[in-house]
Amino acid sequence: MYCLNRRIFLLSSTAFISSPILADEIDVIKAIESDFGNYKITDGKITINMPDFSDSGASVPMEIFIPTNSTTNSFPRKLNVYAPKNPRPRLLSIVFTEHCGEARISTRVRLGSFQDIIAVVENTDGYKFTAKKHVNVTYGACEDIVANDQFPPGWTPKMRISAPKSVLKDEIFTVRTIINHPMETGLRHDKTGLHVPIRIVENFTCIANGTEIIKIKLEPAIAANPYLAFSMKLQKDSDL
């Protein structure tokens, strides 16, 4: 057993975009083809844990787990999640590595309306498959159209991390992070009626002992104060 002294590096970058991009169901199809190519994608085993019904679409919990076929050496490498009734087609994009131990991700997302959430996975052997989950939303996130002054002068995001103090070699454990950031979507205006540009945490990477564990591309649909939880497995007897 060895200790984790928090030298797990979590890197994030912030995007500044001046104008919103609106999407529709056709854009989701185009986004999937752009991300995975124009190939036939079959239904597969993807567990999407989300509530069947949510009063508010501003922060809907989502956990996705892709089981690994133990009889092959193939491992889920890429996961993209789409929402056809959101202003943008993608919710987030994830690149897993073997150091994750398992393909699992948890976060909170904004949903503009009731819709089918679509997950598409590509394994390391190139096999692609998909699954979907229907979520009903009473009050869509896009209906909150007035933004407050959330970025005063000198403001910087803050990140917190939670992980076990000690783990066994090859034990799969969970790393949880939360970033203090409003995630301004670019779809709102301020109290004077002026458009508020997009300002979001755009890229997230976890690095341990110089090795990249997971990489995540966040979109404006990720809820304010982004929460991310993912699995990790250490393969060497060394302190983090």
Side-chain angles (χ1 to χ4, degrees):
M1 181 174 290
Y2 51 94
C3 295
L4 308 180
N5 61 13
R6 296 303 190 272
R7 282 185 305 196
I8 301 174
F9 295 95
L10 303 178
L11 309 179
S12 65
S13 63
T14 303
F16 299 84
I17 306 174
S18 60
S19 60
I21 302 174
L22 301 180
D24 56 25
E25 294 186 6
I26 298 300
D27 287 316
V28 170
I29 296 174
K30 291 180 179 179
I32 294 174
E33 290 181 350
S34 174
D35 295 341
F36 294 92
N38 190 16
Y39 300 100
K40 181 179 180 181
I41 301 176
T42 61
D43 292 339
K45 292 183 178 179
I46 306 172
T47 301
I48 306 174
N49 289 320
M50 299 182 72
D52 295 328
F53 177 84
S54 178
D55 284 331
S56 172
S59 183
V60 182
M62 177 177 71
E63 180 187 55
I64 297 180
F65 171 67
I66 306 109
T68 302
N69 189 340
S70 60
T71 62
T72 69
N73 293 323
S74 183
F75 184 84
R77 180 186 69 87
K78 181 178 179 181
L79 163 66
N80 283 15
V81 187
Y82 306 88
K85 291 187 178 181
N86 264 26
R88 286 191 172 193
R90 295 179 191 84
L91 294 182
L92 76 166
S93 304
I94 303 167
V95 176
F96 297 104
T97 71
E98 61 181 6
H99 305 288
C100 293
E102 63 178 7
R104 187 187 299 272
I105 187 72
S106 296
T107 188
R108 296 187 291 258
V109 297
R110 292 183 171 111
L111 298 181
S113 177
F114 64 91
Q115 56 188 305
D116 289 331
I117 303 304
I118 302 167
V120 182
V121 173
E122 180 178 356
N123 281 349
T124 51
D125 62 2
Y127 177 65
K128 304 175 183 68
F129 52 101
T130 184
K132 62 183 179 181
K133 165 70 177 181
H134 186 78
V135 180
N136 290 295
V137 175
T138 299
Y139 184 81
C142 296
E143 296 179 38
D144 184 14
I145 60 173
V146 179
N148 297 319
D149 183 12
Q150 303 178 100
F151 300 98
W155 182 90
T156 57
K158 297 180 181 178
M159 183 184 300
R160 288 182 290 168
I161 173 175
S162 173
K165 293 182 178 180
S166 61
V167 295
L168 297 172
K169 178 183 177 182
D170 291 330
E171 175 187 356
I172 298 175
F173 61 97
T174 301
V175 177
R176 296 178 176 86
T177 68
I178 189 166
I179 306 171
N180 176 29
H181 198 287
M183 299 293 283
E184 186 54 58
T185 64
L187 300 174
R188 303 196 296 172
H189 57 268
D190 61 22
K191 293 180 180 180
T192 67
L194 295 177
H195 175 253
V196 180
I198 290 178
R199 188 174 178 181
I200 66 171
V201 177
E202 188 177 38
N203 295 297
F204 176 96
T205 304
C206 175
I207 299 172
N209 293 328
T211 300
E212 184 174 287
I213 307 299
I214 192 170
K215 181 180 291 185
I216 305 174
K217 174 75 165 66
L218 289 78
E219 300 285 350
I222 299 300
N225 301 317
Y227 166 78
L228 298 166
F230 53 91
S231 297
M232 182 173 169
K233 181 176 71 171
L234 299 180
Q235 299 174 335
K236 296 181 180 179
D237 290 334
S238 61
D239 292 337
L240 287 182

